[in-house]
Amino acid sequence: MKLAVVGGGSTYTPELIDGFARLRDTLPVGELVLIDPATDRLELIGGLARRIFARQGHPGRVTTTADLDAGVDGADAVLLQLRIGGQAARLQDETWPLECGCVGQETTGAGGLAKALRTVPVVLDIAERVRRANPDAWIIDFTNPVGIVTRALLRAGHKAVGLCNVAIGLQRKFAALLDLAPGDIHLDHVGLNHLTWELGVRRGGPGGEDLLPRLLAAHGEAIAADLRLPRAVLDRLGVVPSYYLRYFYAHDEVVRELGTKPSRAAEVAAMERELLALYGDPALDEKPALLAKRGGAFYSEAAVDLAASLLADGGPAVQVVNAYNNGTLPFLPDDAVVEVQARVDASGPRPLAVPRLDPLHSGLISHVTAYEDLALHAALRGGRERVFKALLAHPLVGQFDLAEQLTDRLLAHNKEHLSWA
């Protein structure tokens, strides 16, 4: 089996490599090719990847290339983990929205739209080249904003599934709090990428005993602290929101905080410099502890499980993915992309039935889905007016003057990445 990672020069990659090495019985990879135009980073990470495989006795071969077409040729699956514009573009996404009193974040709000506009055309070009090289290959998208990017891929007819690590992170956290094995926990995880709620925490699988009331009663304070929301919010909602919901539930507070501390992009850029120095040590043959602070926890396990379900002959498995709605949430169009539990096998994901949603949740999901539709339209066709309309539709913007100001700033900061700007 051959897997290709586009964006293999990312500092995330050793997390992924560690998962492939540890879980080699789940996913028997014969060749793993890391693809990235940044050849200096690629060679550092490729060398570490080979040492990790060797340390853990993995028989597979790790190769590196800057040639996308050669790298994806013959691949059974292609993982996308791109950041168009790098940390410099992320820093801008987190900065200029604050000038207008809006949250500055790389996947949510105006910054998230900027990332989508930069990313969608590049991902679609990559996907077309994958299809030419091997039309049967699966594309696993970890590139943010995952919901919009996955929707673009599916609308273009690609065999694609979106993946995020939020759900697996919560599953691991809740299992530890309940003193259960992660595999014993099934989440009623419902919503859109980076806009989800855990409506139930079930023992043993779908339909099992709901442990969420017990979890909130015993550990609500700790969960609320992780989400940086008041405990009372969780008690009143009776569910666990994704930590990205804080941008909606406490927007003004977040904006004030962001204006008083270094951006996450600046922190990550400094961390990346330190990680790259560590990766260059020829004695290092495991992922360093610092990588846990970089983000992407459990990404490797989620990616291995998903690839194994799509490619290996182990039968279907249940996993949280981003896939076409197809009636799962009846208030959304079938071609909206939702993030829910799905049964996954070689034919792709089939979302499971979800509990009926309260209007508090379905209303925000509908609102953000409408924004995502406009955002994708802008990413595919360009144009200032399309960008403006997407921003006006976003629940974190929603005002004419504000959308105008944000549109001007978005275009000014992204000219080098938008051919039409």
Side-chain angles (χ1 to χ4, degrees):
M1 182 184 300
K2 176 180 177 179
L3 299 187
V5 181
V6 181
S10 167
T11 53
Y12 273 130
T13 300
E15 165 69 28
L16 189 62
I17 298 298
D18 178 73
F20 286 136
R22 287 186 294 102
L23 303 172
R24 56 187 175 276
D25 292 336
T26 303
L27 187 68
V29 178
E31 180 182 0
L32 180 64
V33 55
L34 307 180
I35 306 167
D36 204 296
T39 54
D40 52 343
R41 292 169 60 119
L42 187 61
E43 288 312 308
L44 281 179
I45 291 167
L48 175 57
R50 295 182 191 99
R51 296 192 297 272
I52 291 174
F53 266 32
R55 176 190 174 98
Q56 300 199 28
H58 194 295
R61 184 165 61 105
V62 176
T63 60
T64 60
T65 182
D67 186 333
L68 175 70
D69 296 309
V72 301
D73 187 38
D76 298 286
V78 178
L79 283 75
L80 305 182
Q81 51 174 40
L82 311 177
R83 186 183 299 282
I84 306 304
Q87 294 299 330
R90 177 180 181 170
L91 178 61
Q92 293 180 359
D93 293 343
E94 294 179 351
T95 303
W96 54 262
L98 293 174
E99 298 170 0
C100 300
C102 292
V103 66
Q105 211 278 333
E106 67 162 342
T107 63
T108 300
L113 176 60
K115 194 172 197 300
L117 296 176
R118 294 192 303 268
T119 304
V120 166
V122 176
V123 165
L124 289 179
D125 176 67
I126 291 169
E128 284 298 329
R129 293 161 72 176
V130 171
R131 180 153 53 190
R132 288 198 299 268
N134 183 3
D136 293 325
W138 279 100
I139 296 176
I140 298 173
D141 177 58
F142 193 66
T143 296
N144 282 318
V146 167
I148 295 173
V149 173
T150 302
R151 196 172 186 184
L153 287 165
L154 291 173
R155 281 191 176 183
H158 297 290
K159 293 176 61 176
V161 185
L163 181 65
C164 181
N165 68 320
V166 168
I168 192 171
L170 288 173
Q171 180 202 42
R172 298 301 195 267
K173 185 183 299 293
F174 295 163
L177 291 172
L178 293 166
D179 198 25
L180 294 171
D184 292 336
I185 294 293
H186 173 91
L187 301 179
D188 289 337
H189 179 97
V190 182
L192 310 176
N193 180 242
H194 290 185
L195 194 88
T196 52
W197 296 262
E198 310 310 322
L199 305 184
V201 178
R202 302 191 179 275
R203 187 200 300 266
E209 177 191 3
D210 186 7
L211 304 178
L212 181 57
R214 183 196 310 178
L215 182 70
L216 288 175
H219 304 287
E221 202 69 46
I223 295 170
D226 283 345
L227 300 174
R228 302 190 63 199
L229 288 170
R231 164 72 184 271
V233 172
L234 269 64
D235 291 338
R236 294 175 72 178
L237 293 177
V239 301
V240 178
S242 156
Y243 55 82
Y244 286 92
L245 265 297
R246 186 169 184 258
Y247 298 119
F248 294 82
Y249 292 162
H251 176 271
D252 293 352
E253 178 184 348
V254 172
V255 169
R256 287 192 294 271
E257 287 178 4
L258 293 175
T260 62
K261 63 179 185 179
S263 71
R264 175 62 178 166
E267 293 175 354
V268 170
M271 201 178 304
E272 285 198 334
R273 289 190 292 271
E274 189 173 349
L275 283 169
L276 289 170
L278 292 172
Y279 295 167
D281 180 357
L284 183 69
D285 58 3
E286 59 185 342
K287 64 177 183 179
L290 178 63
L291 186 55
K293 298 180 181 180
R294 172 68 180 82
F298 305 113
Y299 160 42
S300 62
E301 294 179 38
V304 168
D305 288 345
L306 179 55
S309 297
L310 294 170
L311 301 175
D313 194 19
V318 173
Q319 186 172 1
V320 172
V321 297
N322 285 258
Y324 267 153
N325 179 45
N326 285 336
T328 307
L329 300 182
F331 52 88
L332 294 184
D334 283 347
D335 68 348
V337 165
V338 296
E339 185 171 290
V340 294
Q341 294 275 10
R343 196 169 300 280
V344 184
D345 60 20
S347 65
R350 296 182 300 281
L352 303 181
V354 302
R356 186 176 183 276
L357 292 180
D358 187 285
L360 181 66
H361 310 129
S362 61
L364 187 53
I365 290 171
S366 297
H367 196 162
V368 175
T369 297
Y371 150 75
E372 289 191 348
D373 190 55
L374 291 167
L376 179 55
H377 195 50
L380 293 174
R381 300 187 63 187
R384 186 187 190 281
E385 191 66 12
R386 295 186 183 95
V387 173
F388 167 78
K389 288 179 178 178
L391 287 168
L392 188 62
H394 200 293
L396 297 183
V397 181
Q399 299 178 62
F400 181 87
D401 288 344
L402 196 53
E404 287 279 20
Q405 295 174 45
L406 289 167
T407 299
D408 288 341
R409 284 168 170 78
L410 186 156
L411 296 179
H413 284 282
N414 288 275
K415 283 186 180 296
E416 66 179 295
H417 300 292
L418 305 178
S419 60
W420 49 267

